[in-house]
Structures are given as structure tokens and as C-alpha cells.
């Protein structure tokens, strides 16, 4: 599709301001039918830009060099102005060379300041960013005062205008995108190791410095060729935001590269689309807004790191802890009565929990919804009954609590009356493997520091299998019953 669009693009694309005013639906139809050369050119440039920014931005994000991309995008601005002044016109090749030289010079200055002074890298990046950008703005103003300044089009390098891309500029963006894809495919392992542990990469004999330089050069080329489409002010956003969105969705680098490229392409296409709809709206800010929308969705709904997902997990965790505390209270009530009887009087349970009857009923309704408890009224009194799964879970929570109390008193030398609060928290998070290790460490104890029974795994299994074969298990028998 991209190659087809490229061959369809003419050498001089029409400007979006030249398009005839039409209604919104007509503009939508013209965009998706791609019958206008300006649409094909802008769309193709946006696709290439999204791929290269997504790929290289991923390495920038995982290396924690997001500010470096911002610095580089601002540092190339003087080179753009100098390229225009030398060529006397908006010559893509002259501007590319000037911007690349300025970008490399900015990178060298950052490293020079960092290595020869005690100034930290973030301060070096900030100084170079501000200094080069200031020089670039001065030169831009100088160009605007030239006789041909108002027609130069260099102002588009500040905020971007994908509709003003020429076929030559699209070829350059495409060339950098292809180079980025090829380099990442060929040297994925080297880039990956160098991104996460530079020392480890050197210990493997990898020329980490060479690959770091190669990555920086690809990044510089990407920034330079993206200026016309996105602008110097916002190109760093296209490097960082799609990659950051992908970072929230996966922990695998290869998947992050793919997702970041997809998000970059999607942002570029949406930016070009809305820019076309609005007629003369700047493309760069719209691309960044589209990328920010993708990031917002990832931030909210990422399965692992999303705000909504974390809220749901926290809420689910709170419900689980509340239910486990109810199960533990039921165990304690039955223990206080020598495990006699099948059910627990709700009045006794409310007294144990220091709650009103209404509050305890609400607790039991939540527990009942999980399928481990039933509430029945017998002879004017209300009882809570646990099924085998509920009883096993109640015993497990009590076991965790008492094992941890014993561990703190025996191994950490806590006083027995100082261990309850810690155990109240740990009892809900101990995994079975940790419990097995605690039991081995404490030599399979039978009682906690207060002389209470610690239900073991074997006890729990026996408590559910003592009944006759074919008899419905109740789960209420303890080993000493």
C-alpha cells in the first residue's frame, strides 16, 4: 500500500490551502478515496514517520533518554535555517545536511559538557536544547525578513505541515524508515542488550559504543526528516508518546517495537486525516493529539499497568481480604465452641467481629455471592454454613496467620503480643510455596505462640475425607474430632 501511494505521488504535491472548500463528508470521502495527490503524499509521509518514530522511540524510552530526543529535535533548527540560507531556497537536501550537522553538533556538545564537567546529563541536555533552539529562532526571524522570507515555508519546520511535503521529502522519510527497520532487524540483539545493560553488552564483546552511535545517527536522521511533517517543537512527542503507550501494554521488547510502530502510524494517519478535514490545520499538533489519545487509552485500560485495571485489582483485593476476614471470624467462632455443630450463629459472629447484625449480614451476603457460604434460619436463629471450599479457605487464612506469628516470635524474636498486626496483613498474601517453606523452617509446628492449633495441609485434607465414601462432605471435621 505504501509503495503504491509513493508511486502515485507527484513531484510537486498540492498544498492543503489550495484545496477547494467542501463539506465535511466530502472531505472524508476525498481522504479515504485518496484521489488527491496531497492526501497520498501526506499519508505516505505520515506512515513512514510513524514507523521510524515508533521503532527508534522504543529504544529511547527504555534507555530513559526521552529528553535527548527533545534536545535533538530543537538542536537541528539552526541547521534547517542555515541550509535554507546556503541554498537560497527550501532545498530538501541542503536542509537535511544542515539539520544533520546541527544535530550531531548538539549531541557532541551534550557529551562534551557531561564528560568534562560535573554537570549532570539532564542539565547538559537542557542547556543545549535552549541554546540551539534560541539560535534557530533568531535565524528563522532573519529568514522571514528576507524578500522571499514570507514565501520560504521554513516556518512549517516549527509546527509541521504534512500537506506541504514534497515527493523528495517523502522519499527521504521513507528511506530513513526503511533504514531503521533494516538496522533493527539486523542488530536487534545488540540494540536490546545495549538498551538495558551497557556493561553486560561490553562483557559479551559487543561494540556497544558503535551500536549506540548507530542508534543516535538513525535517531538524528529521523528527527531531521520528520521536521516538515511534525515540526521541531513536537517531533520528540512522536518519538516518545507511541513508544510510551506500547511500554504500558507489554513487557516484551519485540512486541513493544511492533506496537509503537502501529501507534506511530495510527497517530500519523489520524493527524493527517483531521488536518485535511480542517483545511490548513497544522498536522504536527494533530498527530501529537492523536498519539496522546492512544496513550490516554493505554494509561487507563492497559491490562497490567492501566489505571482502571489497577483500580479493579485493588478493589478485588479489598473484597477478597474482607471475605477472608469473615471466613477467619467464622473459624474463630467455631474454634471457641470446640468445632461443635455445623453452622455458626450470626449473632455470635457479629459479636466476634464487633459489628451490628446488619453489618454482619451484609458481610455474609458478599461471602455467599462467592459460593462458599450459605445463610439459613433455623428455629428462629440465623446460621452461616460454609461448604468444603469455604472451610478450607478459612483454615488456610488462620494457618497463615498463626504460622507467621510463630515465625516472628521464633526467628525474629518478636514478643508474642507484638506479632498480631503484622500477621493480619501477611495472612492474605502468603503463597502456598512460602507456607511450605515456613512449615519446614519451623519443623511443622502444631501450635502458635498463644497455644492455638495451627491447621496443617494434612489436617485440612483429612478434615475433608473422614466421612464415609459417598457421604456428602461438610468440611467441618477437624483431626481431633
Amino acid at each position: 500500500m505504501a509503495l503504491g501511494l509513493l508511486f502515485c505521488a507527484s513531484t510537486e504535491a498540492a498544498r492543503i490551502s489550495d484545496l477547494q472548500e467542501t463539506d465535511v463528508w466530502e472531505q472524508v470521502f476525498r481522504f479515504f478515496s485518496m484521489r488527491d495527490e496531497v492526501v497520498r503524499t501526506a499519508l505516505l509521509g505520515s506512515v513512514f514517520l510513524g514507523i521510524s518514530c515508533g521503532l527508534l522511540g522504543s529504544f529511547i524510552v527504555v534507555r530513559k533518554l526521552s529528553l535527548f530526543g527533545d534536545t535533538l529535535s530543537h538542536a537541528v533548527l539552526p541547521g534547517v535555517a542555515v541550509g535554507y540560507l546556503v541554498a537560497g531556497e527550501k532545498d530538501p537536501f541542503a536542509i537535511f545536511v544542515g539539520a544533520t550537522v546541527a544535530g550531531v553538533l548538539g549531541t557532541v556538545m551534550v557529551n562534551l559538557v557531561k564528560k568534562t564537567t560535573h554537570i549532570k546529563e539532564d542539565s547538559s541536555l537542557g542547556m543545549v536544547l535552549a541554546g540551539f533552539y534560541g539560535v534557530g529562532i533568531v535565524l528563522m526571524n532573519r529568514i522571514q525578513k528576507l524578500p522571499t522570507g514570507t514565501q520560504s515555508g521554513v516556518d512549517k519546520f516549527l509546527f509541521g505541515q504534512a500537506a506541504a511535503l514534497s515527493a523528495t521529502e517523502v522519499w527521504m522519510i521513507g528511506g530513513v524508515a526503511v533504514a531503521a527497520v533494516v538496522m533493527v532487524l539486523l542488530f536487534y540483539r545488540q540494540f536490546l542488550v545495549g538498551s538495558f545493560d551497557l556493561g553486560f553488552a561490553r562483557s559479551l564483546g559487543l561494540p556497544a559504543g558503535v551500536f549506540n552511535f548507530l542508534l543516535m545517527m538513525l535517531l538524528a536522521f529521523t528527527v531531521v526528516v520528520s521536521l516538515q511533517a511534525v515540526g521541531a517543537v513536537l517531533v520528540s512527542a512522536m518519538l516518545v508518546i507511541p513508544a510510551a503507550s506500547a511500554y504500558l501494554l507489554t513487557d516484551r521488547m519485540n512486541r513493544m517495537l511492533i506496537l509503537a510502530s502501529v501507534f506511530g502510524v495510527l497517530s500519523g494517519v489520524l493527524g493527517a486525516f483531521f488536518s485535511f478535514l480542517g483545511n490548513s490545520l497544522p498536522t504536527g499538533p494533530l498527530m501529537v493529539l492523536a498519539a496522546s489519545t492512544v496513550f490516554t487509552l493505554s494509561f487507563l485500560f492497559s491490562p497490567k499497568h492501566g489505571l482502571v485495571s489497577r483500580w479493579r485489582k485493588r478493589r478485588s483485593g479489598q473484597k477478597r481480604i474482607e471475605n477472608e476476614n469473615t471466613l477467619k471470624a467464622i473459624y474463630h467462632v467455631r474454634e471457641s465452641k470446640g468445632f461443635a455443630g455445623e453452622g455458626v450463629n450470626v449473632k455470635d459472629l457479629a459479636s466476634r467481629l464487633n459489628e451490628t447484625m446488619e453489618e454482619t449480614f451484609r458481610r455474609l451476603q458478599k461471602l455467599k455471592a462467592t459460593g462458599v457460604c450459605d445463610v439459613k434460619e433455623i428455629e428462629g436463629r440465623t446460621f452461616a454454613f460454609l461448604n468444603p471450599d469455604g472451610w478450607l479457605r478459612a483454615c488456610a487464612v488462620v494457618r497463615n496467620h498463626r504460622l507467621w506469628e510463630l515465625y516472628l516470635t521464633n526467628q525474629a524474636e518478636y514478643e508474642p503480643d507484638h506479632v498480631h498486626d503484622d500477621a493480619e496483613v501477611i495472612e492474605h498474601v502468603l503463597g502456598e510455596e512460602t507456607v511450605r517453606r515456613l512449615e519446614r523452617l519451623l519443623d511443622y509446628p502444631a501450635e502458635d505462640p498463644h497455644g492455638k492449633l495451627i491447621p496443617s495441609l494434612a489436617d485440612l485434607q483429612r478434615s475433608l475425607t473422614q466421612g464415609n465414601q459417598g457421604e456428602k462432605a461438610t468440611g467441618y471435621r477437624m483431626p481431633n474430632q
Side-chain angles (χ1 to χ4, degrees):
M1 175 182 175
L3 290 175
L5 286 170
L6 181 59
F7 287 121
C8 290
S10 69
T11 53
E12 289 295 334
R15 301 296 183 260
I16 202 164
S17 57
D18 299 332
L19 296 174
Q20 187 178 359
E21 289 282 356
T22 56
D23 61 54
V24 172
W25 293 112
E26 175 64 18
Q27 289 287 85
V28 171
F29 175 75
R30 290 173 61 186
F31 183 86
F32 286 105
S33 65
M34 291 186 286
R35 67 189 187 192
D36 297 302
E37 291 177 0
V38 64
V39 173
R40 295 194 293 269
T41 306
L43 197 56
L44 189 59
S46 302
V47 169
F48 284 141
L49 185 149
I51 293 172
S52 54
C53 284
L55 280 178
L56 300 176
S58 299
F59 291 106
I60 294 301
V61 168
V62 298
R63 289 179 180 225
K64 302 177 182 177
L65 288 175
S66 300
L67 188 56
F68 181 81
D70 199 27
T71 301
L72 195 57
S73 64
H74 287 72
V76 300
L77 196 59
V80 172
V82 172
Y84 177 86
L85 290 171
V86 171
E89 60 180 353
K90 188 184 166 187
D91 180 74
F93 182 74
I95 290 175
F96 177 80
V97 173
T100 303
V101 171
V104 172
L105 184 60
T107 305
V108 171
M109 288 196 67
V110 169
N111 289 324
L112 188 65
V113 171
K114 187 177 67 175
K115 290 181 179 177
T116 58
T117 68
H118 61 280
I119 296 175
K120 301 297 183 184
E121 185 175 24
D122 58 339
S123 300
S124 305
L125 290 169
M127 288 190 297
V128 172
L129 181 154
F132 275 66
Y133 190 64
V135 174
I137 293 297
V138 170
L139 292 175
M140 287 287 185
N141 285 335
R142 180 70 178 172
I143 292 173
Q144 292 295 319
K145 292 179 181 177
L146 295 177
T148 59
T150 55
Q151 304 298 322
S152 63
V154 292
D155 57 315
K156 298 294 188 298
F157 287 102
L158 280 177
F159 298 105
Q161 183 56 278
L165 285 172
S166 67
T168 303
E169 289 166 328
V170 172
W171 273 110
M172 294 171 69
I173 297 174
V176 172
V178 171
V181 171
V182 171
M183 289 297 107
V184 170
L185 288 176
L186 288 177
F187 304 115
Y188 172 73
R189 177 171 167 267
Q190 290 83 349
F191 286 143
L192 180 65
V193 176
S195 296
F196 289 98
D197 195 333
L198 206 58
F200 179 63
R202 292 195 179 102
S203 70
L204 293 176
L206 298 176
V210 173
F211 286 107
N212 186 59
F213 176 77
L214 179 60
L215 185 64
M216 292 300 112
M217 288 304 297
L218 284 172
L219 182 64
F221 290 152
T222 299
V223 168
V224 171
V225 299
S226 302
L227 291 179
Q228 176 66 71
V230 188
V233 177
L234 297 173
V235 66
S236 62
M238 284 301 293
L239 283 168
V240 174
I241 298 177
S245 304
Y247 196 42
L248 290 177
L249 295 175
T250 180
D251 296 327
R252 308 285 297 183
M253 190 65 189
N254 53 354
R255 293 176 189 168
M256 181 179 173
L257 291 170
I258 295 172
L259 284 175
S261 300
V262 171
F263 292 157
V265 170
L266 180 64
S267 303
V269 171
L270 287 175
F273 172 68
F274 287 111
S275 175
F276 183 75
L277 282 188
N279 203 357
S280 294
L281 285 176
T283 317
L286 291 173
M287 285 184 180
V288 173
L289 284 176
S292 300
T293 302
V294 173
F295 176 81
T296 302
L297 293 174
S298 301
F299 176 69
L300 290 176
F301 301 110
S302 168
K304 188 173 182 181
H305 304 290
L307 200 62
V308 173
S309 302
R310 283 186 293 168
W311 174 78
R312 291 181 63 182
K313 288 178 184 175
R314 186 166 58 249
R315 184 176 172 82
S316 174
Q318 289 171 344
K319 287 183 178 178
R320 179 179 59 82
I321 289 174
E322 182 181 4
N323 287 334
E324 288 181 350
N325 284 335
T326 306
L327 289 170
K328 185 175 64 175
I330 291 174
Y331 180 99
H332 286 153
V333 172
R334 293 203 67 241
E335 184 182 45
S336 66
K337 297 182 180 300
F339 299 105
E342 291 278 330
V344 171
N345 192 327
V346 175
K347 185 178 180 181
D348 295 335
L349 186 61
S351 177
R352 172 73 193 184
L353 291 167
N354 196 24
E355 293 178 341
T356 63
M357 290 287 285
E358 289 75 15
E359 290 172 333
T360 303
F361 272 121
R362 282 197 292 272
R363 273 180 176 271
L364 290 172
Q365 289 304 318
K366 293 176 184 176
L367 193 61
K368 185 180 177 182
T370 65
V372 300
C373 171
D374 197 7
V375 179
K376 291 183 179 178
E377 187 170 333
I378 301 174
E379 297 178 354
R381 294 184 298 174
T382 307
F383 291 86
F385 296 88
L386 295 182
N387 66 16
D389 289 339
W391 180 244
L392 276 176
R393 188 59 199 153
C395 293
V397 175
V398 173
R399 175 202 59 190
N400 293 354
H401 183 103
R402 293 176 178 176
L403 271 178
W404 191 252
E405 284 187 334
L406 191 64
Y407 170 77
L408 290 179
T409 53
N410 287 9
Q411 303 296 320
E413 298 182 353
Y414 276 49
E415 293 296 328
D417 56 347
H418 284 67
V419 295
H420 177 74
D421 291 343
D422 284 341
E424 281 287 296
V425 177
I426 294 296
E427 67 189 17
H428 301 291
V429 297
L430 282 180
E432 283 303 314
E433 179 60 30
T434 305
V435 170
R436 300 284 87 77
R437 292 173 60 186
L438 281 174
E439 287 180 328
R440 289 194 294 271
L441 180 67
L442 298 170
D443 195 21
Y444 300 97
E447 294 182 347
D448 72 356
H450 312 289
K452 298 286 186 64
L453 171 71
I454 299 177
S456 69
L457 178 63
D459 292 338
L460 299 182
Q461 290 172 338
R462 281 198 297 272
S463 74
L464 297 178
T465 57
Q466 282 183 342
N468 298 325
Q469 189 172 5
E471 181 183 344
K472 186 177 180 181
T474 63
Y476 298 138
R477 299 182 184 87
M478 292 302 292
N480 56 353
Q481 287 184 279

